[in-house]
């Protein structure tokens, strides 16, 4: 039986020591199976908080990426490859760091600031790939993410140029964003109270308080379930979803109150406060509604 083309690509990457994993049509990891949903399985041993999960399916995104051809081409992953739309890889597992430049301005900044290295064109910019690993950090500056340890990147081709050593300039970017203090007594410095949204004071909203609180709780749960990576994206998605529900309300709905809870949830799992705020603000705007 002929392998799907994406599986052949993954096997090719694995042979070069690059851990691969299937990605869905939206270029994100495939959804976890019911057993692994919301980290109910405890997570894999190689995650930030080591767990006992030995799920044979490609659950947990980068943590499932592998160079083992028997896993990649095994029956447990067969359905995943049929559904896949792209191949992802774990940069840290391959010993590299990807500086993801997601706009023309970001590419111009890198060209003027960072040493040249292997470069791969992306949909909206470029991936600059350096030899060496570091902590992954999203939003180190506008349209710039760092993907290395405990993160995934989409495989976009071999690129051009010569890969060079990870420079201090890139490590410094992550250090600048590492501004959220470690949790103290179970709370973080930017900790906020629970949901302060009340239907009784939001006369311009057409939803019940229970409806709004349920939507918020689901968004917060999704953020908390992404403790190792992706919490910022979940915060964006939750904000966009909540905003969309209020797009036909006469307003104001005071979604800024809900926004603070989403920001707090993201910060509580390690997302820098500035990045969490930016993700939620953009999510609200993308949902097509208004702030107060």
């Amino acid at each position: 039986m002929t392998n799907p083309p994406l599986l052949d690509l993954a096997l090719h990457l694995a042979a070069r020591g690059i851990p691969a994993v299937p990605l869905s049509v939206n270029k994100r990891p495939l959804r976890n199976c019911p057993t692994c949903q919301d980290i109910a399985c405890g997570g894999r041993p190689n995650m930030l908080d080591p767990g006992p999960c030995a799920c044979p399916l490609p659950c947990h995104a980068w943590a499932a990426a592998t160079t083992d051809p028997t896993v990649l081409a095994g029956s447990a992953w067969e359905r995943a490859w049929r559904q896949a739309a792209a191949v992802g890889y774990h940069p840290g597992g391959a010993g590299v760091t990807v500086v993801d430049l997601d706009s023309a301005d970001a590419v111009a900044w890198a060209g003027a600031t960072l040493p040249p290295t292997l470069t791969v064109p992306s949909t909206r910019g470029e991936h600059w790939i350096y030899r060496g690993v570091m902590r992954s950090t999203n939003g180190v500056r506008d349209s710039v993410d760092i993907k290395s340890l405990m993160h995934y990147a989409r495989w976009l081709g071999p690129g051009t140029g010569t890969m060079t050593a990870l420079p201090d300039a890139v490590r410094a970017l992550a250090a600048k964003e590492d501004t959220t203090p470690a949790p103290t007594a179970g709370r973080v410095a930017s900790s906020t109270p629970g949901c302060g949204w009340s239907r009784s004071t939001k006369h311009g909203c057409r939803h019940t308080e229970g409806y709004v609180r349920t939507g918020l709780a689901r968004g917060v749960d999704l953020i908390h379930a992404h403790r190792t990576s992706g919490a910022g994206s979940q915060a964006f998605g939750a904000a966009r979803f909540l905003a969309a529900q209020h797009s036909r309300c006469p307003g104001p709905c005071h979604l800024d109150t809900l926004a603070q809870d989403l920001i707090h949830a993201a910060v509580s799992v390690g997302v820098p406060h500035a990045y969490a705020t930016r993700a939620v603000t953009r999510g609200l705007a993308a949902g097509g509604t208004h702030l107060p």
Side-chain angles (χ1 to χ4, degrees):
M1 182 176 179
T2 303
N3 289 332
L6 292 179
L7 172 55
D8 280 338
L9 172 58
L11 291 170
H12 173 71
L13 295 178
R16 296 171 54 193
I18 301 174
V21 68
L23 299 181
S24 65
V25 67
N26 61 1
K27 305 172 187 176
R28 295 183 59 81
L30 299 174
R31 179 176 297 182
N32 290 341
C33 71
T35 301
C36 296
Q37 190 67 34
D38 297 334
I39 318 295
C41 60
R44 294 182 183 266
N46 58 332
M47 295 173 71
L48 181 62
D49 291 327
C53 178
C55 180
L57 300 174
C59 294
H60 306 301
W62 67 268
T66 180
T67 58
D68 187 341
T70 62
V71 174
L72 291 168
S75 58
W77 285 35
E78 183 178 349
R79 182 181 179 184
W81 288 116
R82 291 201 306 267
Q83 297 175 336
V87 176
Y89 70 102
H90 178 209
V96 302
T97 292
V98 178
V99 180
D100 185 1
L101 307 166
D102 212 17
S103 70
D105 287 345
V107 172
W109 165 83
T113 307
L114 303 180
T117 190
L118 178 66
T119 303
V120 183
S122 66
T123 306
R124 291 177 289 188
E126 294 178 351
H127 287 181
W128 285 36
I129 305 177
Y130 291 97
R131 184 175 60 255
V133 299
M134 61 177 290
R135 178 175 61 85
S136 298
T137 310
N138 288 331
V140 294
R141 56 178 293 121
D142 194 31
S143 300
V144 180
D145 297 333
I146 297 175
K147 301 177 178 181
S148 186
L149 296 172
M150 298 189 182
H151 215 304
Y152 77 94
R154 185 163 57 109
W155 179 260
L156 297 171
T160 58
T162 301
M163 188 184 305
T164 57
L166 181 62
D168 290 339
V170 173
R171 295 186 186 276
L173 289 171
K176 290 178 182 178
E177 281 296 308
D178 193 15
T179 56
T180 303
T184 301
R187 297 176 66 84
V188 293
S190 59
S191 179
T192 59
C195 179
W197 196 94
S198 170
R199 178 66 180 83
S200 63
T201 61
K202 283 40 175 188
H203 301 294
C205 182
R206 62 189 181 91
H207 298 292
T208 66
E209 185 170 340
Y211 179 90
V212 174
R213 286 177 177 271
T214 298
L216 175 65
R218 289 177 178 173
V220 169
D221 285 345
L222 284 172
I223 294 169
H224 285 163
H226 289 73
R227 300 180 62 188
T228 57
S229 66
S233 296
Q234 293 298 323
F236 171 88
R240 180 175 57 185
F241 172 80
L242 288 172
Q245 307 314 302
H246 295 266
S247 61
R248 295 185 181 180
C249 293
C253 297
H254 291 286
L255 297 187
D256 56 325
T257 304
L258 303 180
Q260 289 303 312
D261 285 333
L262 295 177
I263 293 168
H264 169 57
V267 170
S268 73
V269 294
V271 178
H273 190 276
Y275 181 78
T277 301
R278 186 161 60 246
V280 170
T281 301
R282 290 177 176 175
L284 291 176
T289 192
H290 44 258
L291 287 174

